[in-house]
Amino acid sequence: MRPVVRYKNWTLLVVLSILAVILGPLVSAQEATPEATPVSEEDAAPVLLFASDGMRPDFVSQYSEAGVTPTLAELSEAGVVGDNGLLQAFPPNTGTGWATLSTGTWPGAHGSVNNTFYRTGDEDFNNSSSGFDTGVLQSQTIAQAAEQYGKSVVSVQWTGTGGLDPQLDGPVIDYWTSYSFSTVLANYGLNTESEYQQVTLAEATGWSNVPESYSPALEQRFTIASNDEATNPERLFDLYIHDSTDDQAVNYDRLLVVPAEATDAATPVASPEASPVAAVAGSKDGVDAVADLAVGDWQDVKVTLAGEMDGLTAGFHLKLIGLADDASTFRIYATAIARHNATYNGCDYADSCAEPGGFAEEIASGFPSATGSDFFPLEHGLIDEETYVEQGLMSVAITGQHLGYILDDLRVEPDLLLAGGAVTDEFSHQFLALITENGPGGTANPRFDDVENDGELDGRVEKRTAFIESSYTETDALLATAMEKLGEDANVMVTSDHGFAPQWFSVNGALIMQQAGVTPAEAGGNCRIPDDVDPATVQAKICATGASANIYVNLIDRDLPGAVAEEDYDAVRQQIVDEFTNLTDPDNPDATVVAEVFLKEEINDALGVNAVHPSRTGDVVVILAPPYQFDSAAPGELISPSSFFGQHGYMPDLVDLDANINMHGTFIASGPAFLEGETLPDVRAIDVAPTTAFLMGIPGPANASGSILYDALAEAESLSELTIISISDYHAQFAPLSGSPDSFDDENALGVSAQLGGAAYLLPWFDHFRAEAQGPSLFLSANDIIGATPPLSAFFDDMPAIEIMNAFGTDAAAIGNHHFDVDYQWFIDLMPQADYPSLAANIVLGDEGTPIALPVDGATPVAETGA
Ligand SMILES: [Zn+2]
């Protein structure tokens, strides 16, 4: 067989078998003592892998000490915690962090290099990919590995699980799909430049079956516009505003909401000028009411979808945000119409339960409608902070209900329960800098307690502090629910995808690209080229998430259409590097805006982690320093005040607690398998998945390069790890091969190829894995070393093939058919040059018919029988 080298499977080539072989050090497996066996596959206790987006380890400690996160406190005390949690991927953003936890590999291998990135060689330089796109991950996840080895998996709001390819068989609920945008109707001017339905309230007419109103009832029409008309037509609701108290006072206090059926026979009705609502007939029948609200009340409203989702359920939440006694101010809010993304491909509890009308529909119709923190209406002045927080916390409560349904009602008994949420991330984004007085170096934060940036303190530090705290306390409650459902014998690991830093400035990456002279205009969107320019004049574009940006050169013969010739590649990169390296904040000349600027090839050395993906990592990578970050920059302005107040994507090891900065993720491990009350140094995000696999008694995930955290385990002293590094069909492939490092197959793509493998590339990796090994390691070759080799080896009678295997540090090699390409004697004559023995168990000579002993290393026979 010819060597097959594909980038994405290179760790299979180098089979890093982190087999937790259970031996006393260097004793054979047969001598293992029963108590030394950590986990037999059948007896393994279930594992809960719980992650909360952006959850900071120092916040967990603070809240635990304060007694407001009792579950996290108990787990920390009874188990093992990472010293300041764990080191996350580079850059520590959501798309990279969750994938790194799930796969046990760094982004260079799993391929989710940021939330948004470009894949060189894509069919259009203007395209981009998301870290959550289906099939984007190029490494196996712990959930996929668990199912491969026969384990039962449940995943609820574990980010990225819905986009796995292959999908999971077990129940998965991962985020939701929206069919409309959130919307607000008010009868007064909001402090916003955003669109909303500004109306005047009219006297209510034509209503039936509605409560008596003790002041003249008022009405309006509320429109929920669609972002997907075919699936979710525009929906209209009639609002009936009334005064329910018979107290001789004008005090409007209630709102009835009734669906209004759109009809073709719509005729104009008296409608306030400012109202954009359509004029159509409605039932105005209180019997049809879907909501009856007092101020502050929420109501879940279900709707039925159309088109390809015909008959399926989605829903939204209504809140009456405000209603003055005299109705002079009235504001109602509708969240986006949404439906949870849910699959249960392997279900057998009911007919069609795997179909969209089965499990997914039960989730959509039988539980609260999908929702979660929605930053847009908050940042645009459409809703207040309390409404934002209430909506976000709803998502946490809903996840708890879903867990109850799957584990209690459907009685799924997972071996691996993945559960999580995002509210700790979302509230930190919105509020962290508003409660933080100082930036790095003790500089004053101009946005401390000043969301409007008007120099007036808001007096809301306590409230906003409580908001962030609530995200941790509710997440703690969800964790408790998950633990209770899974049972007392479960092993629990709690982690997160990144930490957080307060920020208050947006840096306009697109403008900097224009100033660098690599694009003719400022691009209007992230990861885009400017509108209305010839793409062949765009030398590079920027794809930013949080504080980190990948910058891609539009390279001729690599990208379409291509604008930079290969000989100009370094010069263009240098232009970009110079522009970012020299970037300063004119208003704060002493502040550090840019933390690091890397050329693509520098990232590994800079961080000691495999962060470079050959076709997805930018040609230049820029990391900003707090309080600067790339999101929501004002067009045309180099640096502008941010509309939100926390960010991630800074350097993964950035910790500056005086400035309330900590980019580390959380790590807590507790349960029967773990030690009590230990603090573990140097935990890495890539260690979580291999440790999870170990707890379940399974190998994997297949491409994982992290370590099993033996030092966290109660039985650590009885365990010893044997690392097997294995290569197969090497055939003296000293020179690199080329191949696609990406799995995409866009029709017009250039099919970008990269140099893959080669002896000079592989040896440092073999040395790396030997150094990483937490015990003895063996380097093995599975088969063909000589025979069918390139001229570089063949011309010299394959002596070079043997020498390379010696250089690799080969401990033993099995014999393949090509070893006899010339004849038996050729092979036997070559073997004394090998520093390693050759192994065989099924080779017979001629017609003798019995397996041969092979003294092929010039020393002792190493295999004699077919055993
Ligand atoms: Zn995140």
Side-chain angles (χ1 to χ4, degrees):
M1 286 167 58
R2 299 297 303 166
V4 176
V5 182
R6 286 190 302 161
Y7 176 82
K8 67 175 193 172
N9 286 334
W10 72 268
T11 40
L12 285 177
L13 175 85
V14 183
V15 179
L16 175 69
S17 297
I18 301 195
L19 296 172
V21 180
I22 316 318
L23 16 155
L26 294 174
V27 187
S28 77
Q30 287 87 333
E31 291 173 58
T33 53
E35 69 271 16
T37 305
V39 181
S40 84
E41 205 177 313
E42 299 73 39
D43 302 340
V47 179
L48 169 61
L49 198 48
F50 185 92
S52 188
D53 207 297
M55 183 163 68
R56 266 172 55 167
D58 56 320
F59 284 4
V60 169
S61 300
Q62 282 171 31
Y63 291 133
S64 293
E65 274 161 34
V68 297
T69 53
T71 314
L72 288 162
E74 200 182 304
L75 289 174
S76 304
E77 228 160 86
V80 177
V81 298
D83 185 9
N84 193 23
L86 53 67
L87 179 73
Q88 255 295 355
F90 172 90
N93 275 329
T94 305
T96 47
W98 286 87
T100 300
L101 292 168
S102 292
T103 61
T105 64
W106 295 120
H110 63 62
S112 178
V113 298
N114 217 344
N115 292 17
T116 302
F117 52 89
Y118 169 68
R119 299 189 294 176
T120 51
D122 201 340
E123 62 181 341
D124 184 347
F125 191 62
N126 204 20
N127 283 350
S128 63
S129 297
S130 153
F132 315 107
D133 283 348
T134 295
V136 92
L137 290 187
Q138 295 188 307
S139 297
Q140 189 182 41
T141 65
I142 182 63
Q144 291 168 314
E147 288 198 345
Q148 180 185 343
Y149 292 102
K151 299 293 185 181
S152 160
V153 178
V154 171
S155 180
V156 179
Q157 300 303 350
W158 177 277
T159 299
T161 314
L164 296 183
D165 180 17
Q167 292 189 335
L168 295 184
D169 282 337
V172 173
I173 304 174
D174 182 16
Y175 208 64
W176 52 84
T177 300
S178 298
Y179 299 95
S180 74
F181 298 108
S182 56
T183 182
V184 161
L185 177 143
N187 69 339
Y188 61 105
L190 301 175
N191 183 18
T192 181
E193 288 170 10
S194 272
E195 275 186 30
Y196 65 103
Q197 298 169 52
Q198 188 177 352
V199 299
T200 51
L201 298 177
E203 199 167 312
T205 57
W207 289 81
S208 58
N209 299 313
V210 288
E212 187 168 349
S213 184
Y214 295 94
S215 304
L218 302 169
E219 69 172 10
Q220 242 315 321
R221 168 72 52 82
F222 190 29
T223 303
I224 299 184
S226 176
N227 62 19
D228 180 1
E229 275 286 338
T231 309
N232 175 49
E234 176 178 270
R235 296 174 193 276
L236 307 173
F237 294 88
D238 283 319
L239 308 178
Y240 176 78
I241 297 136
H242 60 108
D243 173 356
S244 71
T245 52
D246 184 10
D247 55 6
Q248 321 301 319
V250 176
N251 45 11
Y252 289 97
D253 62 345
R254 292 206 76 87
L255 165 69
L256 215 60
V257 182
V258 176
E261 293 298 320
T263 69
D264 293 337
T267 50
V269 296
S271 159
E273 271 178 17
S275 171
V277 300
V280 296
S283 78
K284 291 190 175 180
D285 186 339
V287 170
D288 299 332
V290 292
D292 179 2
L293 304 171
V295 172
D297 286 353
W298 289 86
Q299 176 65 49
D300 187 359
V301 180
K302 299 292 184 189
V303 301
T304 303
L305 297 175
E308 61 184 23
M309 300 289 285
D310 191 33
L312 298 176
T313 303
F316 65 101
H317 299 263
L318 276 173
K319 183 186 178 185
L320 179 56
I321 292 180
L323 173 57
D325 280 351
D326 61 357
S328 58
T329 60
F330 166 78
R331 176 160 49 151
I332 182 172
Y333 170 54
T335 68
I337 293 175
R339 173 179 164 98
H340 281 107
N341 301 327
T343 57
Y344 191 174
N345 295 309
C347 67
D348 57 7
Y349 66 88
D351 289 345
S352 309
C353 58
E355 303 297 316
F359 174 71
E361 180 63 12
E362 289 154 28
I363 295 300
S365 62
F367 295 88
S369 299
T371 194
S373 310
D374 191 348
F375 67 86
F376 186 91
L378 175 66
E379 289 178 28
H380 290 79
L382 297 172
I383 63 171
D384 55 302
E385 292 174 351
E386 280 75 5
T387 299
Y388 170 85
V389 165
E390 290 163 12
Q391 188 183 346
L393 295 180
M394 269 196 252
S395 68
V396 187
I398 294 169
T399 301
Q401 294 185 38
H402 291 166
L403 286 173
Y405 180 61
I406 295 167
L407 275 73
D408 295 342
D409 299 345
L410 296 182
R411 297 191 192 162
V412 180
E413 293 180 6
D415 299 302
L416 175 62
L417 173 58
L418 297 165
V423 75
T424 44
D425 170 274
E426 292 155 349
F427 291 10
S428 298
H429 272 304
Q430 299 308 134
F431 304 118
L432 194 57
L434 296 175
I435 63 166
T436 303
E437 287 191 63
N438 295 316
T443 53
N445 167 11
R447 305 301 294 278
F448 172 68
D449 197 26
D450 185 5
V451 74
E452 304 288 351
N453 204 21
D454 57 6
E456 303 276 320
L457 294 186
D458 304 333
R460 287 180 61 83
V461 172
E462 213 172 299
K463 278 206 171 74
R464 289 165 180 153
T465 303
F467 291 155
I468 293 182
E469 181 179 307
S470 72
S471 70
Y472 280 75
T473 56
E474 294 306 304
T475 298
D476 187 81
L478 176 63
L479 171 61
T481 300
M483 287 170 58
E484 184 238 306
K485 306 280 175 219
L486 205 54
E488 279 180 359
D489 63 334
N491 289 304
V492 180
M493 280 192 279
V494 179
T495 184
S496 59
D497 58 336
H498 51 73
F500 250 91
Q503 61 80 23
W504 49 89
F505 287 123
S506 294
V507 171
N508 189 336
L511 182 61
I512 297 168
M513 296 291 284
Q514 186 190 3
Q515 290 175 353
V518 295
T519 180
E522 181 185 333
N526 186 33
C527 219
R528 308 279 296 171
I529 65 173
D531 292 336
D532 305 321
V533 302
D534 177 358
T537 64
V538 180
Q539 292 184 308
K541 71 165 182 175
I542 182 168
C543 303
T545 302
S548 61
N550 285 289
I551 297 167
Y552 302 87
V553 174
N554 188 8
L555 191 62
I556 292 169
D557 289 339
R558 184 188 72 179
D559 301 293
L560 289 170
V564 175
E566 195 169 346
E567 62 263 31
D568 299 326
Y569 175 70
D570 286 336
V572 169
R573 287 206 303 174
Q574 196 58 47
Q575 268 173 269
I576 296 164
V577 168
D578 290 345
E579 197 68 29
F580 277 97
T581 304
N582 297 327
L583 179 66
T584 53
D585 180 352
D587 295 334
N588 301 280
D590 295 334
T592 302
V593 180
V594 177
E596 302 278 355
V597 180
F598 297 103
L599 296 175
K600 179 178 185 173
E601 60 273 20
E602 291 172 341
I603 293 177
N604 277 342
D605 288 349
L607 293 156
V609 302
N610 177 23
V612 181
H613 186 282
S615 63
R616 298 181 181 180
T617 298
D619 299 292
V620 176
V621 175
V622 176
I623 308 291
L624 300 182
Y628 299 90
Q629 53 83 46
F630 284 112
D631 292 343
S632 298
E637 288 183 50
L638 185 65
I639 294 172
S640 52
S642 181
S643 55
F644 63 105
F645 300 96
Q647 194 52 283
H648 36 78
Y650 298 99
M651 290 299 287
D653 56 354
L654 181 65
V655 180
D656 179 357
L657 295 182
D658 290 340
N660 200 6
I661 295 165
N662 188 358
M663 290 317 296
H664 274 231
T666 292
F667 181 77
I668 304 167
S670 189
F674 292 102
L675 290 168
E676 275 182 46
E678 296 285 322
T679 299
L680 207 60
D682 303 325
V683 180
R684 304 165 302 174
I686 57 168
D687 301 331
V688 172
T691 304
T692 305
F694 178 79
L695 293 173
M696 289 192 288
I698 61 165
N703 308 76
S705 56
S707 300
I708 297 163
L709 295 167
Y710 296 108
D711 292 344
L713 299 174
E715 295 179 286
E717 287 183 1
S718 63
L719 303 172
S720 146
E721 183 178 279
L722 172 63
T723 296
I724 299 173
I725 304 165
S726 165
I727 191 168
S728 69
D729 296 285
Y730 190 56
H731 288 280
Q733 190 60 55
F734 310 147
L737 297 171
S738 64
S740 172
D742 206 317
S743 50
F744 77 96
D745 56 357
D746 293 329
E747 238 176 56
N748 299 317
L750 293 176
V752 74
S753 72
Q755 285 201 338
L756 306 174
Y761 174 84
L762 289 173
L763 179 56
W765 278 106
F766 297 151
D767 290 340
H768 170 80
F769 288 126
R770 275 189 279 256
E772 285 255 304
Q774 308 184 87
S777 64
L778 276 176
F779 186 97
L780 304 176
S781 166
N783 49 28
D784 306 328
I785 291 170
I786 56 173
T789 51
L792 199 57
S793 179
F795 191 77
F796 301 100
D797 205 22
D798 273 341
M799 276 299 298
I802 306 291
E803 285 169 14
I804 282 288
M805 297 311 288
N806 289 341
F808 282 168
T810 306
D811 292 301
I815 295 167
N817 56 306
H818 284 283
H819 288 202
F820 306 107
D821 276 3
V822 179
D823 59 21
Y824 173 67
Q825 199 55 46
W826 172 66
F827 165 63
I828 292 297
D829 289 346
L830 270 172
M831 282 305 101
Q833 309 304 322
D835 294 343
Y836 52 86
S838 291
L839 311 178
N842 58 350
I843 295 175
V844 298
L845 259 190
D847 53 8
E848 289 174 24
T850 50
I852 58 163
L854 287 167
V856 292
D857 63 348
T860 50
V862 292
E864 292 190 31
T865 72

